[in-house]
Amino acid sequence: MDIVSHYWPDIIHGFMITLASWGGAVVLGLAVGFLIAVLQLFGGRWVRAVLRVYIEVLRTTPFLIQLFILYYGGPSIGIELSAMTAGIVALGLYGSAYFAECFRSGFMSVPRGHIEAAQCLGFSRLATVWRVQLPQMLVIITPALINLIIILSKETAVLSVVTVPELTAVLTQIGTEQFSYVETTLILCVCYLLLIGVTERLGRWAEVRMSRFLVR
């Protein structure tokens, strides 16, 4: 396509911004989600209640609204973030609610007998979590984690609304300038298909490797 040959530097730059936003959000979401899951399992009643509210609010409100609140509403309470930073933080926190539930269900899926066996062997609570629950939990939830990570990759398109120069924003601008909406939309679809396809393959590879590790 003429658009690709003429605008390929802009398209590549937009794709790299998409990857950076997605990667940052995934790392943040996994870290916060894991912390929330651990606190839900081992924290006090009030801690669990507060975290339950956090999860339900983020899961039951549209991501676009959360992004608007952080980016446009943040300055009113002293939180001023660039579009890129706000996008990563909003997407990461949005994903953390789903990751937290995924981690929590994974921990609860570990057979109780395995935990009791570790306690009989003299494992501390931390050692039981680290050496018994965590490895099994990761194998159990890997497919669900990969699915959530893929969902976050597609949500990066929403960041164009707050002027993040990611792939959707770049191709929308090119389509508007050149009146080539069909071509730019097809390019966008192909890029996301490639991104998601690679992620799925890496996820399957990770699942197989982790399953072998657990068997050993």
Side-chain angles (χ1 to χ4, degrees), residues 19 24 38 77 82 97 150 170:
L19 288 179
V38 171
I77 57 173
S82 66
I150 288 174
V170 170

Side-chain angles (χ1 to χ4, degrees), residues 3-34:
I3 292 177
V4 176
S5 60
H6 189 269
Y7 289 98
W8 70 266
D10 296 328
I11 295 174
I12 293 297
H13 180 263
F15 188 68
M16 296 305 295
I17 293 295
T18 294
L19 288 179
S21 302
W22 176 44
V26 167
V27 171
L28 176 62
L30 287 172
V32 175
F34 184 79

Side-chain angles (χ1 to χ4, degrees), residues 26-164:
V26 167
V27 171
L28 176 62
L30 287 172
V32 175
F34 184 79
L35 178 61
I36 290 173
V38 171
L39 291 175
Q40 277 191 302
L41 291 172
F42 305 110
R45 183 178 63 179
W46 289 107
V47 172
R48 292 196 298 270
V50 171
L51 293 176
R52 192 73 247 165
V53 172
Y54 170 87
I55 291 172
E56 291 303 320
V57 168
L58 290 181
R59 291 176 65 193
T60 56
T61 56
F63 169 61
L64 181 60
I65 293 177
Q66 298 172 25
L67 180 61
F68 280 165
I69 290 174
L70 180 61
Y71 184 62
Y72 293 114
S76 63
I77 57 173
I79 302 176
E80 296 187 14
L81 302 174
S82 66
M84 181 77 172
T85 303
I88 292 174
V89 172
L91 189 57
L93 294 180
Y94 173 74
S96 71
Y98 294 91
F99 286 132
E101 288 296 275
C102 189
F103 285 126
R104 185 180 65 84
S105 63
F107 276 120
M108 296 180 67
S109 298
V110 177
R112 182 65 186 172
H114 295 188
I115 300 173
E116 292 175 351
Q119 292 172 345
C120 290
L121 292 172
F123 283 25
S124 65
R125 192 173 188 179
L126 179 60
T128 301
V129 172
W130 181 254
R131 301 182 61 181
V132 178
Q133 290 181 268
L134 186 60
Q136 295 185 64
M137 178 270 289
L138 289 176
V139 173
I140 293 170
I141 68 171
T142 294
L145 278 183
I146 297 303
N147 186 53
L148 290 174
I149 290 172
I150 288 174
I151 290 174
L152 287 187
S153 73
K154 292 183 286 186
E155 291 291 349
T156 57
V158 180
L159 303 185
S160 61
V161 178
V162 292
T163 69
V164 176

